[in-house]
Amino acid sequence: MALIIDCHGHFTSEPAEHHTFRRSQVAFAEARSAERPIYSPIPDRELHEIIEANQLAIQKERGSHVTLLSPRASGMGHHVPGVAIAEEWARISNDNIQRIVEMFPDNFAAVCQLPQTVDGDLSPVIAELERCVENGFVGCNLNPDPSGGRWSAPPIYDEWWDPLWTAMIALEVPAMIHVSGSCEPCLHTTGAHYINADTAVFMQLIQGDLFERHPKLKLIIPHGGGAAPYHWGRYRGLSIMLEKPGLDEHLMNNLFFDTCVYHQAGIDTLFRVVDNKNILFGSELLGAVKAIDPETGHPFDDTKRYIDQLGLSEPERHAVFEGNARRVYPLLHKRLQDRNL
């Protein structure tokens, strides 16, 4: 059976108690509370019911089969102080994802949150990534701006990041580039900060030599690649001005975009500009835009509908909906094979 793999899903339907704990944890981290809270795991039955009524129901309704599920991106909160807090929160968040995947093994595969901090110690980041891969995770979300809009981290091509790239390659996991919440009032989290970061990282990759140094590294820029596909000429020109190779050679053997673009014209442009081999189906299921488009009568984030209108050939459809994801996420491919999917 041909599969439709959604490379971009989040656990955004957490119960109220989960959010209450996080608020208390942040208050403790920021020294607004002297009491460190203790997390009470979501009961199995409640977690099962939440997923069945939300992510799983929408998955079935819209016709996809497997969703790569990660913790709520805006909730990663890497700007919150303290490595120990970041480690605890990442472990709690990732353990919830693992439990969901164990409950619905044919419907979800796990992608992890990393315990990044503004201080930038990569040792606990790599340790959590290794723990998660040992527990069956197939990828990770990487925040290029743990400061939440202040951009204090080195650019993505800087050698400071190399230990993480080396670990990812050894573990055979790609990273989706995904910032968390915005700390800047002028940057709306999902409408500005997310798209800005996607675009900024694309330009950073043009400026640097990351993939020349790490030719086996694979990165996914979500939300349709930010502004990149829609200003492709600008970036081609800047690449020439910086005396870099053409974008196809310089970036596009290692870089991929998802289809989290919420109107037909945007999807049309993405597929006209970017090679089919570099596009993975994604919907950001239960993510940024939970609204009905009055022009179509359908949810904005039902991105499969837009792709269905493109008139792709069967090989093209297979690549976007399944083949590319299996190639970019080799541990996902192995997991699906083991499950006869």
Side-chain angles (χ1 to χ4, degrees):
M1 179 186 75
L3 294 179
I4 295 179
I5 300 171
D6 187 339
C7 76
H8 192 167
H10 296 294
F11 179 33
T12 54
S13 48
E14 315 98 320
E17 295 79 7
H18 180 86
H19 295 287
T20 298
F21 167 82
R22 178 56 173 169
R23 286 191 294 270
S24 298
Q25 188 193 44
V26 171
F28 174 80
E30 295 177 345
R32 293 183 286 107
S33 171
E35 184 177 353
R36 184 167 187 163
I38 298 174
Y39 187 74
S40 296
I42 305 166
D44 283 350
R45 182 174 179 178
E46 181 180 1
L47 186 59
H48 191 285
E49 290 175 350
I50 287 171
I51 297 302
E52 200 167 41
N54 291 280
Q55 283 85 356
L56 187 61
I58 295 173
Q59 184 188 87
K60 292 179 177 179
E61 175 186 311
R62 297 182 185 176
S64 63
H65 303 108
V66 180
T67 301
L68 273 62
L69 193 68
S70 62
R72 179 189 292 267
S74 62
M76 293 187 295
H78 295 129
H79 63 278
V80 175
V83 172
I85 293 296
E87 288 181 298
E88 179 184 46
W89 182 232
R91 182 177 286 264
I92 287 169
S93 301
N94 292 331
D95 285 353
N96 281 332
I97 298 299
Q98 183 178 350
R99 290 172 61 206
I100 292 167
V101 171
E102 289 171 352
M103 290 176 181
F104 303 97
D106 288 342
N107 301 100
F108 300 100
V111 170
C112 66
Q113 169 181 326
L114 299 174
Q116 296 177 249
T117 60
V118 175
D119 295 337
D121 185 355
L122 290 177
S123 297
V125 171
I126 294 169
E128 177 64 7
L129 178 61
E130 290 173 341
R131 183 187 79 91
C132 286
V133 171
E134 287 176 4
N135 289 331
F137 283 63
V138 303
C140 62
N141 288 340
L142 176 71
N143 188 346
D145 173 33
S147 66
R150 301 185 178 106
W151 286 94
S152 61
I156 211 79
Y157 59 79
D158 193 277
E159 292 182 0
W160 179 86
W161 294 94
D162 280 0
L164 179 57
W165 307 139
T166 300
M168 285 171 49
I169 292 167
L171 294 168
E172 295 189 286
V173 295
M176 178 172 282
I177 300 297
H178 210 310
V179 289
S180 187
S182 170
C183 296
E184 298 292 340
C186 61
L187 290 176
H188 185 276
T189 292
T190 56
H193 185 42
Y194 281 13
I195 309 303
N196 290 354
D198 301 334
T199 309
V201 167
F202 186 79
M203 186 63 216
Q204 289 177 8
L205 290 169
I206 291 175
Q207 291 173 276
D209 62 348
L210 177 61
F211 298 134
E212 286 84 352
R213 290 187 289 114
H214 299 282
K216 293 184 178 180
L217 182 66
K218 292 183 174 64
L219 301 178
I220 302 97
I221 296 183
H223 318 115
Y230 318 99
H231 293 278
W232 203 252
R234 175 182 293 260
Y235 294 114
R236 287 179 56 238
L238 287 168
S239 185
I240 291 170
M241 291 173 63
L242 292 169
E243 299 183 342
K244 298 292 184 179
L247 295 183
D248 285 351
E249 177 186 349
H250 189 38
L251 303 185
M252 302 311 288
N253 291 317
N254 306 79
L255 189 63
F256 306 86
F257 300 152
D258 74 11
T259 62
C260 294
V261 181
Y262 294 155
H263 66 142
Q264 189 66 53
I267 288 288
D268 293 348
T269 301
L270 173 64
F271 277 78
R272 280 201 300 269
V273 172
V274 178
D275 194 294
N276 186 268
K277 71 179 176 64
N278 294 97
I279 301 175
L280 280 65
F281 171 65
S283 70
E284 208 170 359
L285 181 59
L286 280 178
V289 179
K290 304 171 188 174
I292 302 298
D293 186 345
E295 295 180 5
T296 66
H298 299 293
F300 281 99
D301 60 0
D302 186 358
T303 55
K304 181 177 178 295
R305 289 181 177 273
Y306 310 133
I307 298 168
D308 288 341
Q309 295 301 311
L310 293 173
L312 300 178
S313 67
E314 281 307 311
E316 290 171 331
R317 282 180 59 86
H318 178 268
V320 171
F321 282 127
E322 180 179 0
N324 292 344
R326 285 181 179 266
R327 177 166 52 89
V328 174
Y329 291 85
L331 297 183
L332 170 68
H333 177 58
K334 183 178 185 302
R335 173 183 173 80
L336 294 175
Q337 282 187 318
D338 289 344
R339 301 198 65 80
N340 296 315
L341 293 172

